[in-house]
Each structure stands twice: as C-alpha cells, then as structure tokens.
Amino acid sequence: MSRFLRDAAGALVFPVIAIFLAFVIGAVLVLISGNNPIVAYLALLEGAVGSPVALGRTLLNATPLIFTGLAVAVAFRAGLFNIGGEGQVYIGAITAAIVAVYLTALGPVGIPLVLLACLATGFMWGAIPGFLKARFGAHEVITTIMLNFIAINLATYLALGPFRSEEIVPGTRTIETFMRLPLVGFGLSRVHYGLFVGLLAALTVYLLLWRTKLGFRIRAVGLSPGAASYAGMGIGRNTVLALAIGGAMAGLGGGAEVLGVYGKVSIPFVANLGFNGIGVALLGRNHPVGVVLGALLFGGLASGAQQMQFDTDVPLDLADVLLAVILLLVTATKLVEFIIGKRARSLATGTRLDEGVS
Amino acid sequence: MEELLASTIRNATPLIFAALGGMFSERGGVVNIGLEGLMLISAFFGVVGAFYSGSAVVGLAAAMGAGLLFALIHAVMTITFEADQIISGTAINLLALGGTGFLMVEFFGSGGTSPRVTGFDAVAIPGLSSIPVVGGPLFNQSLLVYLMYALVPVTFFLLFKTPFGLRLRGTGEVPEAVDTAGVNVFRMRYYGVALSGLLAALGGAYLSMGLLSAFTEGMTNGRGFIALAALIFGRWHPVGAAGAALLFGFAQAFTFQAPQDVIPLEFLNMLPYILTIVVLAGFGGRAIAPAAVGKPYRKE
C-alpha cells in the first residue's frame, strides 16, 4: 500500500508542479492586463465546474482530447512520438462526414459502422509514418508533422471539392439527425455519447497495453528496443502497430466530433486537438487514466476561460498560454530537481517521461 | 512570368530566413520545431514596435528581440533543464499562438487584425532592377529580401569556414569530442538556438512588415513547418535549404496563378510536405540529420 502511495505521489509530482507554476505565471499575466488574478481564477473555476452547463462544456471540450491524448500515449509507450494527431483527427472527421451521408439507409444502426470507418482510416493514416520509420528509418516526428498538413489539405479538398454541399457554410452535407450521436442529457447541455466512446477507448487502450501480448510487446519495445529485438519481437511491426493504433484513436475522435457536435466538416474545422493531445498525454503520464484526467483539466481550462473572459477582461487566449506553459514545464526534469531537490526527483522520475524518445 | 518570379521570391523569403535559423539550431544539436511560433511572435512584436515608434527599423528590432527571447526559453528548457526538445518546441508554438491572441487584446483592444503600420516597402536597386525579365522580380523588393540574399552566403561562410561553425557543427555531431577539446557545448548550443530565434524573427517580421504591414492572428499559417521541411529537404545546408525554400515558394506562387480546375489548390499545398517525406524516406539518397540532434547533453 505504501509503495502504491509512493508511486502515485511520484507520478503526480511533475504534473502538479507544472500546473502550479503555469497558474502562477498566468496570474502575473492577469495582473499585467489590469485584472485581479483571484477574481479571474474564481471565474475560471466557476466556468469550468460551477454549474451543470459549465460542467457540460468542460466534458464536451474534454471528449475529443481523450482520443487525441490516447493517440499520443499509445505511441509514446512504444517510444514513438506521434505529433500527427491533428491530421488523424481530420482524416477521421472527413471519413465520418462522407460515410454517414451514405449509410442513412441503415438508420441509427449505421452509427457504429461510421465510427468503425473512422477507426479504420485513422489506423491506416497512422500506419504511414510507422511504415516509413520501420522500412526507411524516416523519423516519425517529422513525417507525422508533414502528414498533418497533407491530411488537412486532403480533407479540405474533399470537403470543398467532390463532397461539397449546397449549404451556405462551405463544407460537406449536414448529416441526418438520426445519424448523430445522441445527447447525454442531465442538463449537461451538448454533451454527447462520444464521451462514453472516449472512456471506452481509454479502457480498451488500457486492456490492450497491459493485458495482451501485443501490448506487452509495444511497451517492451518502448522500454528497451535492444532487449525487445533480442527477444524476437519485431520492432518494425510494433512500430507500425503502435502508430496505427494511435492514429485509429485520433481518427475515432475526429469522427465522434462530427457525429456528436458539428454534423459536418466545414472548413476550417476544429484546430489544435492533436497538439493539445500531446499535453494531455504528458500530463497523464501516458496512462489511459491519466489521459482522461488530463483531458478533463484541459477541457475545464478551455470552458473556464470563456467565463473568465465574460466576467473580467482577461482574453480567452490565456487558456492556451496556460496549456503551453504546462506543456513546457512538464518534461523539464532538471527544473523539478532545481525546485524540489535531488531526492524527490529520483522519486518523481521512477518512470521517466522522456525515456525512449530520441 | 515576371509576376510569378517576383511572387516566388516573396513567398520564399520568410521560409529562407526561418530555415537558416532552424539550421543553426539543429546543427548545434537542438531540434527546433518551434520555428512557426518564433515567426508568429516576432511578426507580432514587429508590428507593435513599428506601431508605437512609427519606425520600421524599431519594429524590426522589436521582432528580433521577441524572437531571441522566445528562442532562449526553448534553449533554457532543453539545454539547461533537459526538457524534451520536441515537446518544448510544440509548447513554444502553442505559447506564441495563445500569447499573440492575448497580447492583441492587450495592445490593440481586440483580436483579429492589428492597425496598419509602417513596413519595409519595395526599393528598386538602380541599374540591377532594369535588367530585362529578372531585374524587376529580383531587385525591386523589400530591404529584407536583400538582407536574405546576403544571409545565404553569410550563413554558409559562418557554418563551414569559421572556427565558430566548426564548433557548432561539432556540438551537433559529437558533443563529447567537442567538450574534450575544451569547447563549452552548452554555450555553443545556446548560440545555435539564439541564432534560430533571430533569423526566424526576420522571417516573421517580413510577413507582418514586408508583405502585409499589419499583424493578423495566426498569420504564419504553417510557414514555420514548411521552413522545417525546406531545412530537411535541403539537407541542413544553407544553399540547399534556400533552394528548397525557393521551390516551395514557387509552388505557392503557382497556386495563386494556376487555373484551379487543372490541379486543385490543396494538392499544390501538399507538395512541400510530400517532397520532404520522400526525401526522409531516402528516395534519392539519404537525408542525414546531425547525429546528436534531439539529445540533451550531460557533462560527465
């Protein structure tokens, strides 16, 4: 039990320090902008969890981030850096927008099929950088960044070209209401069943990574590629699979956004889900439970910032600044050492975050 | 034809600045995927400086100050505190995006587009600009474009013909050896990242003070990433990077002029990224990054 508590405390040291410092820096910015940080942060808190509607906004914001956070976390467990979440979201989203229009004959039964299609296209898109790395040694950080832009342009082409609708807002046709993900209710306004799909995805990733042979191999490759290779685990195959599974998660997230929130892909589509997924995964230490918590924090920040902008004149963009600072601080191991001393650091780095990334 | 050439130069200029910047950082061993953010924050402060002083030169200085400051954040986090370089770079991009949004409201009262400021207008070079066909496009440009022309050979010289360049390249390839030779690896890496900030700042300033004379939110629009692509496509070499940037600049210029029913705009936009992947995958020879790039240096 004490071991468990120590591990849990260790796992929390980095994220808690990063979040705390980010809020201190944020407070300075709020002061500079001529506002009272306490008033601003209370508004932020109220906007994040102060009412069912606020909580609903937080959950709504958190939903896609669970998927993109998982997309980063799965790859990270194999020692790979998936910066491609943004593009994978677009691929899933455009898949949903196109397929859902053609599956209307099936009625609501078609919804899981649409989501499966998003999963599949995300999987294939994620497999590309995996294949390029395994076969040609092309670094996945660069290829996933480049594939983001290719995906965004591809989705834009499809939405404004062959699948463009006659509707006023440029984009694909709006999906029939019965093909949309239903709302959860409970006064949580627009929270939809995509949230549960996300939680299910997190559970699946957990089971996959820690309860299957494939997951064991992926983690083994991430912890020690040399040893894994010696043990006969094909590094290339696991590289492709880890990035492909990550892509599948982000693709599913893009599809859930279309079916749950937007009903179509209009251009420009939602931005930065993939990049914020990196922060979510790091904050959650690449564990599915951590990812869900990280997504809730990021989602809460985004919805709280709206309230803050309404109540004070602190711009909404403060939320992005806070996220960036958290992201900046969360892997700076030496900074933590600098702040809390060496002994605590060895405790906190029981499982090093930057291990396996080259 | 002349317009296509002039437009190619205009599009390539910010890419070349940023790619040369990225080259110094990566040659020293620090990945800088924060180029996009460095350009954006510099583009913003260039406009702020020019707005309050009425002088484009002051604006340029402010842009370079901001680029340097943000690059130093990346340097401190990655070199001193050993943060992951990819994550730090991603954070810099996010910080610049959120930060400029925040500061737009603070400085100009609202988001969107800033007021117009004095920028760097086109200056025709007497004689050269009257050369038929190429004279106008090449020599009737903003002063920053001429600075770019000069910087390509200068960076080449600095990198390959000076002790500084040798040391910098060494810290990106075999930092242990450079350390043994008595060179401060950490300091060299700081120089590399600092130069990337200053050069990316020139690229950002060109966007907001050479092309547009105003700042609009998110105006870099992926150019930092294209610069990164040009850097890789040009194999971490100043002339190669400039050449790749010109090619990408031409593709962009072409998109404005080509009839869109022939090739859709989106496919032309994909070109730099597809080419970079092709190069990375080693078709047509290997692209080899500096050996120690991405790894924090720890002194034994």
Side-chain angles (χ1 to χ4, degrees):
Chain A
M1 187 61 194
S2 76
R3 164 113 201 274
F4 174 79
L5 283 177
R6 208 181 60 199
D7 285 353
L12 286 173
V13 168
F14 275 78
V16 167
I17 289 178
I19 294 165
F20 177 75
L21 282 179
F23 273 91
V24 171
I25 293 170
V28 174
L29 286 176
V30 171
L31 268 177
I32 293 172
S33 76
N35 289 283
N36 181 339
I38 297 171
V39 175
Y41 282 159
L42 282 175
L44 187 82
L45 193 66
E46 196 204 325
V49 290
S51 63
V53 175
L55 188 65
R57 259 203 324 262
T58 294
L59 294 173
L60 189 69
N61 292 333
T63 301
L65 293 175
I66 296 176
F67 293 101
T68 53
L70 290 173
V72 178
V74 175
F76 220 120
R77 286 285 168 182
L80 298 161
F81 221 131
N82 179 14
I83 319 249
E86 192 75 3
Q88 292 149 7
V89 165
Y90 267 81
I91 291 297
I94 194 71
T95 304
I98 293 170
V99 176
V101 168
Y102 290 98
L103 280 182
T104 44
L106 289 176
V109 186
I111 295 177
L113 291 176
V114 177
L115 289 176
L116 265 179
C118 303
L119 193 80
T121 50
F123 185 91
M124 287 188 281
W125 197 259
I128 298 172
F131 171 75
L132 290 169
K133 170 141 190 159
R135 180 76 177 73
F136 301 108
H139 203 297
E140 81 281 2
V141 166
I142 308 292
T143 51
T144 50
I145 290 177
M146 300 300 146
L147 281 163
N148 280 340
F149 288 97
I150 297 173
I152 292 168
N153 275 299
L154 183 62
T156 306
Y157 166 72
L158 292 171
L160 299 184
F163 295 97
R164 187 184 182 126
S165 68
E166 302 290 311
E167 291 164 31
I168 300 159
V169 181
T172 60
R173 252 171 70 187
T174 301
I175 298 163
E176 302 280 353
T177 320
F178 63 81
M179 288 297 284
R180 310 274 290 270
L181 284 165
L183 298 183
V184 168
F186 303 113
L188 295 174
S189 59
R190 292 162 60 220
V191 182
H192 55 88
Y193 268 68
L195 176 65
F196 300 120
V197 180
L199 294 175
L200 196 65
L203 179 68
T204 309
V205 166
Y206 172 77
L207 293 175
L208 183 83
L209 282 176
W210 278 277
R211 293 282 183 272
T212 66
K213 254 190 224 166
L214 171 68
F216 176 72
R217 286 196 192 112
I218 286 176
R219 286 184 300 122
V221 168
L223 286 171
S224 170
S229 172
Y230 190 71
M233 301 171 187
I235 298 215
R237 186 171 164 270
N238 287 305
T239 297
V240 178
L241 277 173
L243 281 167
I245 293 167
M249 289 299 127
L252 190 57
E257 280 298 279
V258 168
L259 295 191
V261 185
Y262 300 95
K264 63 183 284 187
V265 170
S266 51
I267 301 295
F269 192 58
V270 282
N272 279 337
L273 290 179
F275 296 109
N276 287 337
I278 298 170
V280 164
L282 289 173
L283 213 55
R285 312 209 69 172
N286 303 305
H287 192 285
V289 176
V291 166
V292 172
L293 294 176
L296 288 172
L297 179 82
F298 274 47
L301 265 178
S303 67
Q306 289 181 350
Q307 186 74 38
M308 185 175 64
Q309 188 178 33
F310 190 74
D311 287 359
T312 66
D313 18 290
V314 180
L316 190 64
D317 304 270
L318 184 73
D320 279 343
V321 175
L322 290 176
L323 296 181
V325 177
I326 292 173
L327 192 54
L328 203 55
L329 298 174
V330 80
T331 66
T333 49
K334 280 261 179 120
L335 182 66
V336 176
E337 177 182 311
F338 184 71
I339 294 167
I340 60 176
K342 272 201 174 138
R343 247 190 79 246
R345 182 205 176 195
S346 63
L347 183 75
T349 49
T351 45
R352 280 280 296 273
L353 268 174
D354 52 356
E355 236 160 22
V357 178
S358 59
Chain B
M1 179 60 206
E2 286 193 33
E3 179 42 39
L4 189 65
L5 187 57
S7 170
T8 299
I9 301 281
R10 282 197 298 270
N11 285 310
T13 298
L15 304 178
I16 292 176
F17 279 131
L20 292 176
M23 188 190 64
F24 279 112
S25 177
E26 304 215 346
R27 283 285 188 166
V30 180
V31 176
N32 198 343
I33 61 167
L35 289 174
E36 174 84 4
L38 293 175
M39 286 174 89
L40 188 64
I41 200 85
S42 312
F44 175 75
F45 276 101
V47 163
V48 168
F51 180 77
Y52 285 101
S53 69
S55 152
V57 175
V58 173
L60 184 64
M64 293 180 79
L68 182 64
L69 182 72
F70 269 65
L72 285 177
I73 295 176
H74 186 54
V76 171
M77 297 315 290
T78 57
I79 301 167
T80 303
F81 292 133
E82 295 179 8
D84 187 277
Q85 296 174 4
I86 305 299
I87 296 167
S88 174
T90 307
I92 296 286
N93 288 334
L94 197 59
L95 190 61
L97 202 62
T100 49
F102 183 86
L103 293 169
M104 273 296 277
V105 179
E106 295 305 321
F107 278 102
F108 301 119
S110 69
T113 304
S114 78
R116 281 185 67 82
V117 295
T118 336
F120 291 94
D121 294 331
V123 180
I125 296 183
L128 287 175
S129 61
S130 45
I131 300 171
V133 189
V134 294
L138 291 179
F139 301 110
N140 187 11
Q141 294 277 11
S142 152
L143 282 174
L144 290 173
V145 173
Y146 304 135
L147 182 61
M148 178 274 283
Y149 294 158
L151 275 175
V152 176
V154 165
T155 53
F156 173 81
F157 182 79
L158 200 58
L159 200 62
F160 293 105
K161 306 287 175 194
T162 64
F164 170 81
L166 181 65
R167 288 177 193 148
L168 185 73
R169 285 183 288 131
T171 60
E173 296 284 352
V174 275
E176 299 79 11
V178 173
D179 195 353
T180 313
V183 175
N184 187 331
V185 169
F186 297 101
R187 191 180 298 163
M188 290 313 294
R189 289 196 163 175
Y190 264 91
Y191 287 147
V193 178
L195 281 172
S196 80
L198 291 172
L199 284 163
L202 289 173
Y206 180 70
L207 288 178
S208 64
M209 297 166 66
L211 284 177
L212 204 67
S213 298
F215 178 84
T216 59
E217 281 186 36
M219 73 185 301
T220 45
N221 198 18
R223 283 187 183 83
F225 293 105
I226 301 187
L228 189 71
L231 175 64
I232 296 162
F233 196 60
R235 308 215 159 122
W236 291 270
H237 190 286
V239 178
L246 279 171
L247 180 68
F248 298 164
F250 173 76
Q252 284 180 345
F254 189 69
T255 57
F256 300 133
Q257 303 213 336
Q260 284 192 23
D261 44 335
V262 183
I263 311 170
L265 178 75
E266 290 82 9
F267 287 97
L268 285 167
N269 286 342
M270 289 180 203
L271 204 62
Y273 310 111
I274 293 175
L275 286 175
T276 303
I277 289 179
V278 167
V279 168
L280 270 178
F283 301 111
R286 271 251 180 266
I288 297 171
V293 88
K295 300 183 185 95
Y297 184 70
R298 292 190 183 94
K299 216 171 158 70
E300 295 306 320

